[in-house]
Amino acid sequence: MTAVVNMYAKCRRIEEARRMFDRMPERDLVAWNAIVAGYAQNGMAERALEMVIRLQKDGRKPDSVTLVSALPACANVGSLKIGKTVHAFAMKAGFDSLVNVSTALVDMYSKRGAIETARLVFDSMRLKNVVSWNSMIDGYGQNGDAEEAWRLFEKMKRSSVKPNDITFLSVLSACGHSGLVQEGKKYFAGMKEDYGLEPNMDHYGCMVDLLGRAGRLHEAWDFIQKMPISPGISVYGAMLGACKIHKNVKLGEEAAQRLFELEPDEGGYHVLLANIYAAASMWEDVARVRTMMEKKGLQKTPGYSSIDLKNEMHTFYSGSTDHPQSQKIYTRLARLIDEIKAVGYVPDGDSLHDVEEDVKEQLLGTHSEKLAIAFGLINTTPGTSLQIRKNLRVCNDCHEATKFISQVTGREIIVRDMQRFHHFKNGQCSCGDYW
C-alpha cells in the first residue's frame, strides 16, 4: 500500500495517494515519509509540513528521510523560523551530520534567501557530494552572487568531487543572472571538452538566456540555429523573454511563433508578444494577439505577492482590497510613495501602454509587491527585514520603488520572484539592476 501511495504521488495524483494512505490499517514511518514526500514533490508544502506534525502525534519519530522531504517544503512556505526549527531538530537527533540532511539544509536556507547561513552549513560539512556542491553553487546564483558561484565551482574542480550536468546548469544560470557572458561561454565549452558531458536542452536554454539578457540577440538566434538538437520550449522561451527586455519585434515574432507551435495553450507567451508589440506602439498587432487569446480561451496568469507573518501567509493581488487591514495598507502605501518620491523615485510606466499618465501611476502604485511591503512595514518592528514572494517576474517600477523603500525605511527587503532573489538594502539591489 505504501508503494501505491508513492506511485500515485509520483504520477501527480496526490489526492488518490492520500485516499490510499488514509485507508491503510497500519502506517509505519516509511508510509508517513511517502505521503510527506508526495505533498512536497507536488508543490503542496503546507500539507507536507502538516503531515510531519501528524506523524509525531501518531507516536512516530521523524528520521533523516522525513527531514530531507520536509526541508524543501520549508523553503517554499512559511517563515524561516519553521526551517530553523527543523534544523534544530536535526541537530538534536544527530541527523545534521548526514550528507543528505546537510545538503537539504543548504538548499532550504538558499531558497529562503539566507545565503550566508547556507554557506555556514556547507562549510561545516565533513563530507560533501556533488549534490551538496550543486546546491551551494545554485544558491549563490539565485541570490545574485555569480562571482562567488564560479569561485566555488573552481574550488569544487580542485576537490575530489567531479562536476556533473547539474553543476554546469547552476554555473551557467549564475552567469546569466549577472551578465558574465565570456565566463558562461567558457564553462559551456568546458562541459564537453574537459568533462565529456553533452549539453542538454536546459544548458542550451541557459546560453540563449545569457546571450539574450546581455543584448546579444542576433548571436543568441544564431546559436539556436546551430544547435545539434531541436530547440525546445526553454530555448525559445529564453529568446522571447530577451526580445521583450530589448524590444526586438522581429526576433520576438520568430521565437513566439515557435512557442505557439510547441505549446499552443500557454497564454504567457502570447502576453509577452503582445507586450513587445505594445512597446513598439504596434496596436493592431496587440489587438490581433489578444483576439487570438480570446478565441483560444487563454488568460494571463494573475500576479500576486505573499508575505509571511507569524507563520500565516498573507497574499495580495494588484489593487486588491479584501485584506482586513486594507485601509491601513493603502494609507501607509500612499505615505510611502510620497516619501520615496521626495528622494528621487519616478514611476516607470513603460510597462503600461495605451493608458493615461495619471491612471498609469495609480495602477503602478497598487501592484501586489508594494501592497505586501506596506503590510510588512505596518506589522513588524523597525529594522526587521521583510521577505516577499512574487509568482511572476518583478516589474521595473516595483524594482525601482523597492530600492527607494529600502533606503527611506532602513529595511532590508528580500523579494523572491519566479527567476531569482533580489536583496534590497540601502537603496541598492543585489542584482545590480540586471535581471
Side-chain angles (χ1 to χ4, degrees):
M1 293 182 80
T2 298
V4 175
V5 169
N6 189 49
M7 179 273 293
Y8 276 128
K10 288 186 175 179
C11 292
R12 298 191 175 279
R13 296 171 68 170
I14 189 63
E15 294 306 321
E16 292 180 61
R18 178 57 185 271
R19 280 195 290 270
M20 179 60 66
F21 177 81
D22 289 341
R23 284 174 51 195
M24 296 175 71
E26 293 183 22
R27 305 181 189 93
D28 60 11
L29 187 56
V30 179
W32 280 101
N33 286 345
I35 196 66
V36 170
Y39 277 126
Q41 292 163 3
N42 282 276
M44 303 174 74
E46 296 97 335
R47 302 288 293 275
L49 295 173
E50 285 173 12
M51 296 309 285
V52 174
I53 295 170
R54 281 193 56 189
L55 78 87
Q56 293 177 82
K57 290 181 178 178
D58 194 53
R60 304 289 176 181
K61 186 177 180 180
D63 64 1
S64 62
V65 177
T66 317
L67 299 186
V68 171
S69 297
L71 283 166
C74 295
N76 291 309
V77 70
S79 67
L80 190 58
K81 182 179 179 181
I82 298 174
K84 288 181 176 179
T85 300
V86 176
H87 188 180
F89 176 84
M91 293 177 67
K92 186 176 180 180
F95 293 140
D96 61 317
S97 61
L98 300 176
V99 174
N100 60 344
V101 174
S102 293
T103 299
L105 286 166
V106 169
D107 186 63
M108 183 273 294
Y109 280 119
S110 296
K111 288 179 177 175
R112 293 301 304 177
I115 194 66
E116 293 177 358
T117 307
R119 184 59 186 265
L120 288 174
V121 174
F122 179 80
D123 287 341
S124 70
M125 295 174 66
R126 288 176 294 173
L127 295 174
K128 302 180 182 73
N129 59 21
V130 67
V131 183
S132 310
W133 286 94
N134 290 350
S135 295
M136 194 67 246
I137 291 170
D138 187 61
Y140 276 121
Q142 292 294 321
N143 282 273
D145 195 342
E147 292 188 3
E148 193 59 42
W150 64 254
R151 273 197 291 267
L152 194 62
F153 175 59
E154 294 297 330
K155 185 176 180 180
M156 178 186 184
K157 292 198 294 186
R158 296 191 296 271
S159 74
S160 59
V161 180
K162 183 180 178 181
N164 63 10
D165 59 334
I166 302 298
T167 315
F168 281 96
L169 191 63
S170 298
V171 174
L172 290 172
S173 178
C175 291
H177 283 315
S178 298
L180 302 176
V181 176
Q182 295 308 316
E183 290 83 353
K185 293 172 78 170
K186 180 186 74 173
Y187 289 131
F188 182 79
M191 278 187 68
K192 191 168 185 178
E193 294 174 2
D194 301 333
Y195 294 94
L197 296 170
E198 287 288 344
N200 61 33
M201 194 66 70
D202 289 331
H203 297 100
Y204 286 111
C206 275
M207 284 302 296
V208 171
D209 184 64
L210 171 70
L211 296 168
R213 284 179 189 274
R216 298 162 73 157
L217 297 176
H218 290 284
E219 185 178 349
W221 189 250
D222 186 57
F223 178 87
I224 293 174
Q225 306 312 304
K226 294 178 180 178
M227 282 174 56
I229 59 177
S230 181
I233 292 170
S234 61
V235 172
Y236 287 122
M239 187 71 207
L240 183 60
C243 289
K244 179 184 180 297
I245 293 171
H246 297 287
K247 302 177 181 178
N248 189 305
V249 175
K250 186 176 184 302
L251 290 178
E253 288 177 325
E254 293 273 7
Q257 187 56 46
R258 303 297 198 286
L259 287 165
F260 296 163
E261 294 169 2
L262 291 169
E263 202 167 20
D265 296 328
E266 174 52 56
Y269 304 133
H270 293 74
V271 172
L272 276 175
L273 180 60
N275 288 341
I276 292 173
Y277 283 140
S281 298
M282 299 170 65
W283 304 115
E284 289 185 6
D285 292 290
V286 172
R288 176 173 56 81
V289 174
R290 288 175 178 171
T291 300
M292 188 190 311
M293 290 181 67
E294 289 176 6
K295 288 182 178 179
K296 292 183 177 181
L298 304 179
Q299 294 183 340
K300 177 183 177 181
T301 302
Y304 64 84
S305 298
S306 301
I307 181 172
D308 179 84
L309 185 68
K310 297 178 181 178
N311 296 334
E312 183 180 354
M313 193 65 69
H314 298 261
T315 301
F316 300 90
Y317 291 83
S318 289
S320 60
T321 57
D322 56 350
H323 193 278
Q325 294 187 27
S326 281
Q327 187 172 350
K328 290 183 178 179
I329 291 169
Y330 278 93
T331 299
R332 179 67 181 99
L333 183 56
R335 192 166 77 249
L336 193 60
I337 297 298
D338 288 339
E339 290 171 6
I340 62 177
K341 280 183 176 179
V343 294
Y345 163 70
V346 178
D348 179 4
D350 286 349
S351 60
L352 299 175
H353 309 284
D354 202 22
V355 178
E356 297 296 330
E357 288 303 318
D358 57 335
V359 178
K360 281 185 181 182
E361 188 167 337
Q362 183 180 354
L363 292 172
L364 292 170
T366 59
H367 273 190
S368 62
E369 298 96 308
K370 296 185 181 78
L371 295 176
I373 290 171
F375 171 79
L377 293 174
I378 292 170
N379 291 283
T380 57
T381 57
T384 305
S385 65
L386 304 179
Q387 282 217 359
I388 312 292
R389 292 195 63 183
K390 176 74 185 281
N391 69 321
L392 303 176
R393 185 179 185 270
V394 172
C395 77
N396 291 336
D397 180 73
C398 284
H399 190 272
E400 192 68 14
T402 307
K403 287 196 298 182
F404 281 104
I405 293 171
S406 71
Q407 177 185 335
V408 301
T409 62
R411 302 283 195 113
E412 179 181 13
I413 303 171
I414 302 172
V415 179
R416 178 183 177 184
D417 70 6
M418 66 181 295
Q419 295 180 329
R420 63 177 298 161
F421 279 93
H422 297 266
H423 294 253
F424 298 92
K425 194 172 184 179
N426 299 323
Q428 302 293 324
C429 180
S430 60
C431 76
D433 298 337
Y434 189 94
W435 83 100

